[in-house]
Each structure stands twice: as C-alpha cells, then as structure tokens.
C-alpha cells in the first residue's frame, strides 16, 4: 500500500482540511519548534483513500481565483461599529446583513485565554467577537465540517479568514454553494499562536488580560491595547494602551520575522482572489487620485470578486461605497501583488524571543520603539476626540 504524503513544514498553511475530512480520524496536527502545526498520519490506521489529499488546497489546487469586478473605498455608516473595527468596518455591515437573514458568520476571535480561534455566531450581540485584526494564526479545528452541515440545511453562511483558510474551506467542500459567502483579507503572513504566547508572557499579561487589540480602534493606525482584569472582578477593565516599547510584537510582525514558512511563498498574494469579497486597509488612497472624504476614522478597501457578492452588497444600506481604480488598490497594498519577503532574522527570531530581554531583542532585530511611535500614539489619541 502506498503511503499518503501530506504538506510538510514549508508548505502547510494549517487549514485543517485534511484532518477534518479524514474518515478514519488518523491525522493529527503536530506542533513544530516555532509553534506552527503540520499534519501527521497514523499509517497503521490509514486506508490510503486519498480523500485528505483531495481536500488539500496545496496538494490539489483546484480553486479558480477570480479577477475583481469592482474595487471600492468603503466604511460602515454605524459609528459604533467603525470604532470597533480595524479600518472602515465594512466587514461588520456584511456580517449584519447575513445575520439579518438568519444566517451564520464565521471568523477569527480573540478568546478570553488569549488564544485566537475560528468561531461561528448567529447573533448581532456577538459580532464584536469577530471584529478587529488578529495578527496570528487562528485555530480552525472542525469549523469546516460545521459549516458544511449548516449549508446543507439551507442556511446562509459568511466565512471570513485568510485566503488560504478560504481555499481550505472551498477545497474541503468540493463544490460551490449558493448560500455560502466567503471573505478574505489581504494577508501579510501569520505568526504562530506560540509566538504570541511568548510575547504575552514576556510583557506580563499572562493571567491578567482577557483581550488584546492589535489596532488602535478609536482612530485608524497601528497600536496595541489590552483589556486588563482586576484581581477581584470577573469583567473587563477599561482599555489600556500597550506603550510602544512593549508593542515590539507589532513591529516584528511588520518585518515578517515570525511568519509561517508557507507565507513567504503564498499562492494568493495576487490581484486575482479566492473569495467573493476581499477586505483590507485602504493604504495610499488619495495619493494620486483625489479622495474627498476624511480618513482619520479608517477606510476599508473592498474588492468585489463575484456577482453573488455584488448583489448582497447592493442591499447593504449601512455601507458607504465609492468606486476606485483597482490599480490604486494594488499599488497601496503590497501583498495584492507580492509575497512577504523572508528576512534573514526569521531563522533566529523565534528562539531569541524566548531568551532575550525586550531591549536586547528589539535592538538585535531593529524593532525598537521610536519617537515616531509615540507621536503616532499621541495623534491617534487626539483623533478620538474629533
């Protein structure tokens, strides 16, 4: 019997499709030294049916990517949602529409143990759990199986994630569903949960914090904040800024020092998209072509990649949309046409992040805070009062 071979350390995107679909349950996800997960087969239980290979978007690249139909600058007209979102809050409008149709929305959530997992919601009250950027790999688990069950019941489903997670879902399903809407992000790359756990422990947040925000949500820009828990209370305290020195994780992310090896060879870092809708920050808007709207509260880039998505969006009255040239979107978002470059420091950063002090680590890898970081924080704070 020929042995089935699945993705290795350099190619696996941790979409969990192979593990989820295995009829014998003989595939486990094994953690590598830097915290990423790769599939391992129990060959004594394996019947070599090959279903796992067919469900893998890397080994069986059967998904047809789509050229965007339209490119928009957009934001939610609901100010409360815009404040909770990473940029313009377009995702919240789409999610609310699906929920209003008695559908379900699946996306990445920062859970109270500071682990990022994909979850499903069916109430607007839970929407906040999916809002905001999460700069690490989310745990997908058996979500694909749950989504297929709901689709077969006829319920509308919105799935949002990285392009490789969307590709994993579509390959797992083996067919397109009219009641499935997919939304990806323009992804730079993903660090592992373990890399984030090391960071949380190093800056003293372990067991003291229930949430970390990677973006300053009262204004458009990069800054980290935390929600501390008082020792005598079982509830969130007020949001506190993580000051720039301790926000080195964000700068390491920006430099690509912690990404999965698969991210540096990503097949989805191109204008043609795997999803119905693509969302990102609208960097570079107005640089060459005038944009006659304020941007301090954040602007979303939205690529509409299917007619099905366009029909849905035309029924979203709470979404402001202005059509913009696709070339502007590509020029402003590097990962719409390029993969993230693998820095030399990728070989050693993970090990050093465990043993070096914050000052030594930041100096060695060029991720020290600057005066500009503090000025940016001051500017964002001023924007909150506008």
């Amino acid at each position: 019997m020929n042995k089935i071979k699945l993705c290795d350390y350099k190619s696996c995107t941790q979409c969990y499709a192979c593990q989820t679909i295995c009829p014998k349950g003989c595939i486990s996800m094994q953690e590598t030294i830097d915290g990423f997960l790769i599939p391992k087969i129990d060959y004594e239980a394996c019947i070599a049916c090959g279903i796992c290979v067919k469900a893998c978007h890397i080994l069986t690249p059967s998904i047809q990517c789509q050229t965007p139909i339209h490119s928009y600058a957009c934001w939610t007209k609901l100010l409360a949602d815009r404040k909770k979102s990473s940029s313009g809050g377009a995702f919240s409008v789409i999610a609310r529409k699906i929920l209003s149709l008695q559908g379900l929305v699946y996306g990445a959530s920062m859970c109270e143990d500071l682990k990022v997992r994909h979850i499903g919601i069916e109430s607007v009250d839970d929407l906040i759990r999916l809002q905001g950027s999460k700069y690490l790999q989310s745990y997908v688990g058996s979500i694909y199986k749950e989504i297929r069950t709901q689709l077969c019941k006829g319920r509308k489903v919105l799935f949002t994630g990285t392009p490789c997670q969307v590709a994993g879902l579509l390959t797992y399903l083996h067919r397109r569903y009219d009641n499935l809407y997919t939304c990806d992000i323009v992804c730079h790359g993903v660090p592992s949960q373990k890399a984030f756990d090391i960071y949380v422990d190093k800056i003293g947040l372990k067991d003291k914090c229930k949430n970390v925000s990677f973006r300053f949500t009262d204004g458009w820009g990069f800054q980290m904040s935390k929600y501390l828990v008082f020792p005598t209370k079982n509830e969130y305290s007020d949001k506190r800024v993580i000051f720039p020195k301790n926000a080195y994780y964000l700068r390491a992310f920006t430099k690509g020092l912690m990404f999965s090896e698969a991210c540096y060879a990503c097949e989805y870092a191109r204008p043609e998209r795997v999803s119905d809708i693509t969302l990102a920050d609208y960097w570079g808007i107005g640089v060459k072509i005038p944009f006659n709207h304020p941007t301090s509260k954040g602007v979303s880039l939205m690529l509409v990649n299917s007619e099905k998505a366009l029909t849905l969006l035309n029924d979203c009255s709470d979404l402001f949309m202005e059509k913009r040239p696709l070339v502007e979107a590509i020029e402003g978002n590097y990962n719409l046409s390029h993969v993230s470059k693998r820095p030399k420091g990728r070989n050693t950063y993970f090990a050093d992040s465990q043993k070096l002090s914050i000052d030594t680590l930041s100096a060695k890898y060029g991720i020290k805070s600057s005066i500009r970081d503090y000025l940016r924080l001051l500017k964002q704070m001023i924007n909150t009062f506008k």
Side-chain angles (χ1 to χ4, degrees), residues 363-379:
K364 179 175 180 178
Y365 291 94
I367 53 174
K368 293 176 66 175
S369 58
S370 64
I371 293 176
R372 183 183 177 187
D373 292 322
Y374 287 92
L375 290 175
R376 183 185 293 120
L377 176 60
L378 177 62
K379 179 181 178 181

Side-chain angles (χ1 to χ4, degrees), residues 289-304:
I289 303 170
F291 184 65
N292 301 315
H293 306 277
T295 62
S296 62
K297 295 186 184 299
V299 179
S300 294
L301 163 66
M302 181 168 62
L303 304 181
V304 182

